[in-house]
Amino acid sequence: MRKTLKMLAPAFILLAISGIMALLLGGTNLLTAQKINERAAGAQQQAIAKVLPAQSYETKKTTLNGTEYEYTVAKNGSEIIGYAFTVSHNGYGGTVETVIGLTPNGAVTGIEVSDVSGETPGLGQNAGKEEFRQQFKNKSGKLSVVKSGAGENEINAVTGATITSTAVTENVNTAFELFKTVKGGAQHE
């Protein structure tokens, strides 16, 4: 009996340590989750303000292909000056999230690539750089990605990061589709 207890003691100690660690991790999550969510919401609001500066913003919802999306209506006084959509698609190393601002006529005012952290440093992460993002300004209609020599409805891919470039471009194309649902009187609140 004593021999059995001696053999089981390390297992009980490990079990106790694991239980304490799980409680500590759970407690840390409870303490930090709200702050993390607040920072993420703040970062999104900053991105919206960059792509579509306005006096006031109103969050609404619309549906596209059975999926509900939130979007932001930007106003100066009572005049609608544009719409901002946050969209994400899979890139090379994970989800690529983009905030897209559109004029009331559906032209891009600007984009902010808010999350490319999963993409390859020095390649896919370059999709967040101004040089790449500026290509979208004033574009409207369905866009596609080319390796070089972009035409009217084309975007030059970031060198070595065609998949990431395509994800950002698809985000913009989805924003155009969402814009159509909003402007076309589709179900939205």
Side-chain angles (χ1 to χ4, degrees), residues 2 13 27-28 58 75 108 110-111 113-114 129 136-137 144 169 177 183 186:
R2 225 182 172 125
I13 291 171
T28 300
E58 183 181 350
K75 295 180 178 181
V108 176
I111 71 165
V113 183
S114 51
K129 290 189 174 180
F136 292 91
K137 194 155 182 128
S144 59
T169 304
E177 292 299 312
K183 290 298 280 191

mmCIF file with all atom_site columns, all heavy atoms in Angstrom, residues 2 13 27-28 58 75 108 110-111 113-114 129 136-137 144 169 177 183 186:
data_model
loop_
_atom_site.group_PDB
_atom_site.id
_atom_site.type_symbol
_atom_site.label_atom_id
_atom_site.label_alt_id
_atom_site.label_comp_id
_atom_site.label_asym_id
_atom_site.label_entity_id
_atom_site.label_seq_id
_atom_site.pdbx_PDB_ins_code
_atom_site.Cartn_x
_atom_site.Cartn_y
_atom_site.Cartn_z
_atom_site.occupancy
_atom_site.B_iso_or_equiv
_atom_site.pdbx_formal_charge
_atom_site.auth_seq_id
_atom_site.auth_comp_id
_atom_site.auth_asym_id
_atom_site.auth_atom_id
_atom_site.pdbx_PDB_model_num
ATOM 1   N N   . ARG A 1 2   ? 1.879   1.249  0.827   1.00 0.00 ? 2   ARG A N   1
ATOM 2   C CA  . ARG A 1 2   ? 2.781   2.389  0.911   1.00 0.00 ? 2   ARG A CA  1
ATOM 3   C C   . ARG A 1 2   ? 3.515   2.602  -0.409  1.00 0.00 ? 2   ARG A C   1
ATOM 4   O O   . ARG A 1 2   ? 3.725   3.742  -0.836  1.00 0.00 ? 2   ARG A O   1
ATOM 5   C CB  . ARG A 1 2   ? 3.790   2.124  2.031   1.00 0.00 ? 2   ARG A CB  1
ATOM 6   C CG  . ARG A 1 2   ? 3.967   3.280  2.880   1.00 0.00 ? 2   ARG A CG  1
ATOM 7   C CD  . ARG A 1 2   ? 4.998   2.993  3.919   1.00 0.00 ? 2   ARG A CD  1
ATOM 8   N NE  . ARG A 1 2   ? 5.207   4.241  4.556   1.00 0.00 ? 2   ARG A NE  1
ATOM 9   C CZ  . ARG A 1 2   ? 5.112   4.472  5.822   1.00 0.00 ? 2   ARG A CZ  1
ATOM 10  N NH1 . ARG A 1 2   ? 4.888   3.476  6.632   1.00 0.00 ? 2   ARG A NH1 1
ATOM 11  N NH2 . ARG A 1 2   ? 5.278   5.657  6.300   1.00 0.00 ? 2   ARG A NH2 1
ATOM 12  N N   . ILE A 1 13  ? 0.503   15.263 -7.397  1.00 0.00 ? 13  ILE A N   1
ATOM 13  C CA  . ILE A 1 13  ? 1.151   16.578 -7.369  1.00 0.00 ? 13  ILE A CA  1
ATOM 14  C C   . ILE A 1 13  ? 1.003   17.257 -8.728  1.00 0.00 ? 13  ILE A C   1
ATOM 15  O O   . ILE A 1 13  ? 0.656   18.430 -8.816  1.00 0.00 ? 13  ILE A O   1
ATOM 16  C CB  . ILE A 1 13  ? 2.635   16.451 -6.946  1.00 0.00 ? 13  ILE A CB  1
ATOM 17  C CG1 . ILE A 1 13  ? 2.709   16.035 -5.480  1.00 0.00 ? 13  ILE A CG1 1
ATOM 18  C CG2 . ILE A 1 13  ? 3.386   17.754 -7.183  1.00 0.00 ? 13  ILE A CG2 1
ATOM 19  C CD1 . ILE A 1 13  ? 4.102   15.673 -5.012  1.00 0.00 ? 13  ILE A CD1 1
ATOM 20  N N   . GLY A 1 27  ? -8.540  32.802 -14.722 1.00 0.00 ? 27  GLY A N   1
ATOM 21  C CA  . GLY A 1 27  ? -8.655  34.097 -14.047 1.00 0.00 ? 27  GLY A CA  1
ATOM 22  C C   . GLY A 1 27  ? -8.023  35.214 -14.862 1.00 0.00 ? 27  GLY A C   1
ATOM 23  O O   . GLY A 1 27  ? -8.579  36.307 -14.972 1.00 0.00 ? 27  GLY A O   1
ATOM 24  N N   . THR A 1 28  ? -6.862  34.936 -15.433 1.00 0.00 ? 28  THR A N   1
ATOM 25  C CA  . THR A 1 28  ? -6.189  35.934 -16.273 1.00 0.00 ? 28  THR A CA  1
ATOM 26  C C   . THR A 1 28  ? -7.057  36.282 -17.472 1.00 0.00 ? 28  THR A C   1
ATOM 27  O O   . THR A 1 28  ? -7.184  37.450 -17.842 1.00 0.00 ? 28  THR A O   1
ATOM 28  C CB  . THR A 1 28  ? -4.815  35.399 -16.734 1.00 0.00 ? 28  THR A CB  1
ATOM 29  O OG1 . THR A 1 28  ? -4.025  35.122 -15.589 1.00 0.00 ? 28  THR A OG1 1
ATOM 30  C CG2 . THR A 1 28  ? -4.102  36.405 -17.607 1.00 0.00 ? 28  THR A CG2 1
ATOM 31  N N   . GLU A 1 58  ? -22.439 55.732 -37.564 1.00 0.00 ? 58  GLU A N   1
ATOM 32  C CA  . GLU A 1 58  ? -23.560 54.916 -37.099 1.00 0.00 ? 58  GLU A CA  1
ATOM 33  C C   . GLU A 1 58  ? -23.361 53.493 -37.602 1.00 0.00 ? 58  GLU A C   1
ATOM 34  O O   . GLU A 1 58  ? -23.159 53.272 -38.797 1.00 0.00 ? 58  GLU A O   1
ATOM 35  C CB  . GLU A 1 58  ? -24.866 55.497 -37.655 1.00 0.00 ? 58  GLU A CB  1
ATOM 36  C CG  . GLU A 1 58  ? -26.098 54.790 -37.205 1.00 0.00 ? 58  GLU A CG  1
ATOM 37  C CD  . GLU A 1 58  ? -27.357 55.407 -37.810 1.00 0.00 ? 58  GLU A CD  1
ATOM 38  O OE1 . GLU A 1 58  ? -27.279 56.496 -38.428 1.00 0.00 ? 58  GLU A OE1 1
ATOM 39  O OE2 . GLU A 1 58  ? -28.412 54.783 -37.678 1.00 0.00 ? 58  GLU A OE2 1
ATOM 40  N N   . LYS A 1 75  ? -21.217 60.245 -41.473 1.00 0.00 ? 75  LYS A N   1
ATOM 41  C CA  . LYS A 1 75  ? -22.016 61.442 -41.765 1.00 0.00 ? 75  LYS A CA  1
ATOM 42  C C   . LYS A 1 75  ? -21.295 62.710 -41.335 1.00 0.00 ? 75  LYS A C   1
ATOM 43  O O   . LYS A 1 75  ? -20.578 62.720 -40.342 1.00 0.00 ? 75  LYS A O   1
ATOM 44  C CB  . LYS A 1 75  ? -23.354 61.385 -41.015 1.00 0.00 ? 75  LYS A CB  1
ATOM 45  C CG  . LYS A 1 75  ? -24.278 60.277 -41.444 1.00 0.00 ? 75  LYS A CG  1
ATOM 46  C CD  . LYS A 1 75  ? -25.564 60.334 -40.638 1.00 0.00 ? 75  LYS A CD  1
ATOM 47  C CE  . LYS A 1 75  ? -26.541 59.259 -41.069 1.00 0.00 ? 75  LYS A CE  1
ATOM 48  N NZ  . LYS A 1 75  ? -27.802 59.331 -40.300 1.00 0.00 ? 75  LYS A NZ  1
ATOM 49  N N   . VAL A 1 108 ? -13.795 53.719 -53.761 1.00 0.00 ? 108 VAL A N   1
ATOM 50  C CA  . VAL A 1 108 ? -12.975 53.531 -52.564 1.00 0.00 ? 108 VAL A CA  1
ATOM 51  C C   . VAL A 1 108 ? -12.356 54.862 -52.125 1.00 0.00 ? 108 VAL A C   1
ATOM 52  O O   . VAL A 1 108 ? -11.717 55.549 -52.910 1.00 0.00 ? 108 VAL A O   1
ATOM 53  C CB  . VAL A 1 108 ? -11.854 52.489 -52.824 1.00 0.00 ? 108 VAL A CB  1
ATOM 54  C CG1 . VAL A 1 108 ? -10.924 52.359 -51.619 1.00 0.00 ? 108 VAL A CG1 1
ATOM 55  C CG2 . VAL A 1 108 ? -12.439 51.130 -53.192 1.00 0.00 ? 108 VAL A CG2 1
ATOM 56  N N   . GLY A 1 110 ? -10.436 54.761 -49.300 1.00 0.00 ? 110 GLY A N   1
ATOM 57  C CA  . GLY A 1 110 ? -9.188  54.259 -48.739 1.00 0.00 ? 110 GLY A CA  1
ATOM 58  C C   . GLY A 1 110 ? -9.418  52.910 -48.100 1.00 0.00 ? 110 GLY A C   1
ATOM 59  O O   . GLY A 1 110 ? -10.560 52.506 -47.869 1.00 0.00 ? 110 GLY A O   1
ATOM 60  N N   . ILE A 1 111 ? -8.323  52.201 -47.851 1.00 0.00 ? 111 ILE A N   1
ATOM 61  C CA  . ILE A 1 111 ? -8.414  50.928 -47.142 1.00 0.00 ? 111 ILE A CA  1
ATOM 62  C C   . ILE A 1 111 ? -7.346  50.900 -46.058 1.00 0.00 ? 111 ILE A C   1
ATOM 63  O O   . ILE A 1 111 ? -6.298  51.529 -46.182 1.00 0.00 ? 111 ILE A O   1
ATOM 64  C CB  . ILE A 1 111 ? -8.266  49.698 -48.074 1.00 0.00 ? 111 ILE A CB  1
ATOM 65  C CG1 . ILE A 1 111 ? -6.829  49.540 -48.579 1.00 0.00 ? 111 ILE A CG1 1
ATOM 66  C CG2 . ILE A 1 111 ? -9.252  49.737 -49.229 1.00 0.00 ? 111 ILE A CG2 1
ATOM 67  C CD1 . ILE A 1 111 ? -6.540  48.173 -49.196 1.00 0.00 ? 111 ILE A CD1 1
ATOM 68  N N   . VAL A 1 113 ? -5.483  47.805 -43.941 1.00 0.00 ? 113 VAL A N   1
ATOM 69  C CA  . VAL A 1 113 ? -5.326  46.373 -43.731 1.00 0.00 ? 113 VAL A CA  1
ATOM 70  C C   . VAL A 1 113 ? -5.040  46.213 -42.248 1.00 0.00 ? 113 VAL A C   1
ATOM 71  O O   . VAL A 1 113 ? -3.929  46.468 -41.792 1.00 0.00 ? 113 VAL A O   1
ATOM 72  C CB  . VAL A 1 113 ? -4.215  45.790 -44.617 1.00 0.00 ? 113 VAL A CB  1
ATOM 73  C CG1 . VAL A 1 113 ? -4.129  44.283 -44.443 1.00 0.00 ? 113 VAL A CG1 1
ATOM 74  C CG2 . VAL A 1 113 ? -4.467  46.133 -46.082 1.00 0.00 ? 113 VAL A CG2 1
ATOM 75  N N   . SER A 1 114 ? -6.076  45.843 -41.491 1.00 0.00 ? 114 SER A N   1
ATOM 76  C CA  . SER A 1 114 ? -5.965  45.875 -40.041 1.00 0.00 ? 114 SER A CA  1
ATOM 77  C C   . SER A 1 114 ? -5.341  44.636 -39.435 1.00 0.00 ? 114 SER A C   1
ATOM 78  O O   . SER A 1 114 ? -4.899  44.682 -38.298 1.00 0.00 ? 114 SER A O   1
ATOM 79  C CB  . SER A 1 114 ? -7.337  46.139 -39.414 1.00 0.00 ? 114 SER A CB  1
ATOM 80  O OG  . SER A 1 114 ? -8.300  45.256 -39.922 1.00 0.00 ? 114 SER A OG  1
ATOM 81  N N   . LYS A 1 129 ? 1.256   48.151 -46.252 1.00 0.00 ? 129 LYS A N   1
ATOM 82  C CA  . LYS A 1 129 ? 1.998   49.373 -46.568 1.00 0.00 ? 129 LYS A CA  1
ATOM 83  C C   . LYS A 1 129 ? 1.206   50.291 -47.493 1.00 0.00 ? 129 LYS A C   1
ATOM 84  O O   . LYS A 1 129 ? 0.425   49.853 -48.337 1.00 0.00 ? 129 LYS A O   1
ATOM 85  C CB  . LYS A 1 129 ? 3.351   49.025 -47.193 1.00 0.00 ? 129 LYS A CB  1
ATOM 86  C CG  . LYS A 1 129 ? 4.300   48.397 -46.195 1.00 0.00 ? 129 LYS A CG  1
ATOM 87  C CD  . LYS A 1 129 ? 5.678   48.270 -46.751 1.00 0.00 ? 129 LYS A CD  1
ATOM 88  C CE  . LYS A 1 129 ? 6.634   47.775 -45.675 1.00 0.00 ? 129 LYS A CE  1
ATOM 89  N NZ  . LYS A 1 129 ? 7.987   47.632 -46.184 1.00 0.00 ? 129 LYS A NZ  1
ATOM 90  N N   . PHE A 1 136 ? -5.921  51.101 -54.421 1.00 0.00 ? 136 PHE A N   1
ATOM 91  C CA  . PHE A 1 136 ? -7.366  50.900 -54.356 1.00 0.00 ? 136 PHE A CA  1
ATOM 92  C C   . PHE A 1 136 ? -8.149  52.212 -54.396 1.00 0.00 ? 136 PHE A C   1
ATOM 93  O O   . PHE A 1 136 ? -9.331  52.214 -54.727 1.00 0.00 ? 136 PHE A O   1
ATOM 94  C CB  . PHE A 1 136 ? -7.730  50.128 -53.074 1.00 0.00 ? 136 PHE A CB  1
ATOM 95  C CG  . PHE A 1 136 ? -7.240  48.713 -53.078 1.00 0.00 ? 136 PHE A CG  1
ATOM 96  C CD1 . PHE A 1 136 ? -5.990  48.394 -52.564 1.00 0.00 ? 136 PHE A CD1 1
ATOM 97  C CD2 . PHE A 1 136 ? -8.020  47.696 -53.609 1.00 0.00 ? 136 PHE A CD2 1
ATOM 98  C CE1 . PHE A 1 136 ? -5.534  47.093 -52.564 1.00 0.00 ? 136 PHE A CE1 1
ATOM 99  C CE2 . PHE A 1 136 ? -7.574  46.384 -53.618 1.00 0.00 ? 136 PHE A CE2 1
ATOM 100 C CZ  . PHE A 1 136 ? -6.327  46.081 -53.097 1.00 0.00 ? 136 PHE A CZ  1
ATOM 101 N N   . LYS A 1 137 ? -7.488  53.297 -54.075 1.00 0.00 ? 137 LYS A N   1
ATOM 102 C CA  . LYS A 1 137 ? -8.164  54.601 -53.959 1.00 0.00 ? 137 LYS A CA  1
ATOM 103 C C   . LYS A 1 137 ? -8.879  54.960 -55.264 1.00 0.00 ? 137 LYS A C   1
ATOM 104 O O   . LYS A 1 137 ? -8.326  54.831 -56.349 1.00 0.00 ? 137 LYS A O   1
ATOM 105 C CB  . LYS A 1 137 ? -7.165  55.679 -53.581 1.00 0.00 ? 137 LYS A CB  1
ATOM 106 C CG  . LYS A 1 137 ? -7.823  56.936 -53.122 1.00 0.00 ? 137 LYS A CG  1
ATOM 107 C CD  . LYS A 1 137 ? -6.921  57.718 -52.213 1.00 0.00 ? 137 LYS A CD  1
ATOM 108 C CE  . LYS A 1 137 ? -7.659  58.934 -51.761 1.00 0.00 ? 137 LYS A CE  1
ATOM 109 N NZ  . LYS A 1 137 ? -7.681  59.106 -50.369 1.00 0.00 ? 137 LYS A NZ  1
ATOM 110 N N   . SER A 1 144 ? -9.323  42.801 -59.848 1.00 0.00 ? 144 SER A N   1
ATOM 111 C CA  . SER A 1 144 ? -8.536  41.572 -59.895 1.00 0.00 ? 144 SER A CA  1
ATOM 112 C C   . SER A 1 144 ? -7.068  41.918 -59.652 1.00 0.00 ? 144 SER A C   1
ATOM 113 O O   . SER A 1 144 ? -6.670  43.076 -59.704 1.00 0.00 ? 144 SER A O   1
ATOM 114 C CB  . SER A 1 144 ? -8.712  40.858 -61.248 1.00 0.00 ? 144 SER A CB  1
ATOM 115 O OG  . SER A 1 144 ? -8.300  41.703 -62.303 1.00 0.00 ? 144 SER A OG  1
ATOM 116 N N   . THR A 1 169 ? -7.781  42.151 -52.011 1.00 0.00 ? 169 THR A N   1
ATOM 117 C CA  . THR A 1 169 ? -8.620  42.531 -53.156 1.00 0.00 ? 169 THR A CA  1
ATOM 118 C C   . THR A 1 169 ? -10.006 41.904 -53.038 1.00 0.00 ? 169 THR A C   1
ATOM 119 O O   . THR A 1 169 ? -11.019 42.553 -53.329 1.00 0.00 ? 169 THR A O   1
ATOM 120 C CB  . THR A 1 169 ? -7.931  42.138 -54.474 1.00 0.00 ? 169 THR A CB  1
ATOM 121 O OG1 . THR A 1 169 ? -6.636  42.756 -54.503 1.00 0.00 ? 169 THR A OG1 1
ATOM 122 C CG2 . THR A 1 169 ? -8.730  42.582 -55.681 1.00 0.00 ? 169 THR A CG2 1
ATOM 123 N N   . GLU A 1 177 ? -19.889 44.471 -52.955 1.00 0.00 ? 177 GLU A N   1
ATOM 124 C CA  . GLU A 1 177 ? -21.139 43.700 -52.932 1.00 0.00 ? 177 GLU A CA  1
ATOM 125 C C   . GLU A 1 177 ? -22.012 44.138 -51.754 1.00 0.00 ? 177 GLU A C   1
ATOM 126 O O   . GLU A 1 177 ? -23.228 44.274 -51.891 1.00 0.00 ? 177 GLU A O   1
ATOM 127 C CB  . GLU A 1 177 ? -20.856 42.197 -52.870 1.00 0.00 ? 177 GLU A CB  1
ATOM 128 C CG  . GLU A 1 177 ? -20.227 41.634 -54.130 1.00 0.00 ? 177 GLU A CG  1
ATOM 129 C CD  . GLU A 1 177 ? -21.113 41.818 -55.354 1.00 0.00 ? 177 GLU A CD  1
ATOM 130 O OE1 . GLU A 1 177 ? -22.324 41.511 -55.279 1.00 0.00 ? 177 GLU A OE1 1
ATOM 131 O OE2 . GLU A 1 177 ? -20.597 42.284 -56.395 1.00 0.00 ? 177 GLU A OE2 1
ATOM 132 N N   . LYS A 1 183 ? -27.143 50.089 -50.628 1.00 0.00 ? 183 LYS A N   1
ATOM 133 C CA  . LYS A 1 183 ? -27.700 51.109 -51.516 1.00 0.00 ? 183 LYS A CA  1
ATOM 134 C C   . LYS A 1 183 ? -28.922 50.607 -52.277 1.00 0.00 ? 183 LYS A C   1
ATOM 135 O O   . LYS A 1 183 ? -29.777 51.379 -52.657 1.00 0.00 ? 183 LYS A O   1
ATOM 136 C CB  . LYS A 1 183 ? -26.639 51.578 -52.515 1.00 0.00 ? 183 LYS A CB  1
ATOM 137 C CG  . LYS A 1 183 ? -25.534 52.392 -51.894 1.00 0.00 ? 183 LYS A CG  1
ATOM 138 C CD  . LYS A 1 183 ? -26.011 53.673 -51.258 1.00 0.00 ? 183 LYS A CD  1
ATOM 139 C CE  . LYS A 1 183 ? -26.219 54.719 -52.305 1.00 0.00 ? 183 LYS A CE  1
ATOM 140 N NZ  . LYS A 1 183 ? -26.435 56.061 -51.784 1.00 0.00 ? 183 LYS A NZ  1
ATOM 141 N N   . ALA A 1 186 ? -31.613 46.497 -49.725 1.00 0.00 ? 186 ALA A N   1
ATOM 142 C CA  . ALA A 1 186 ? -31.750 45.146 -49.172 1.00 0.00 ? 186 ALA A CA  1
ATOM 143 C C   . ALA A 1 186 ? -32.038 45.244 -47.683 1.00 0.00 ? 186 ALA A C   1
ATOM 144 O O   . ALA A 1 186 ? -31.933 46.314 -47.088 1.00 0.00 ? 186 ALA A O   1
ATOM 145 C CB  . ALA A 1 186 ? -30.451 44.362 -49.401 1.00 0.00 ? 186 ALA A CB  1
#
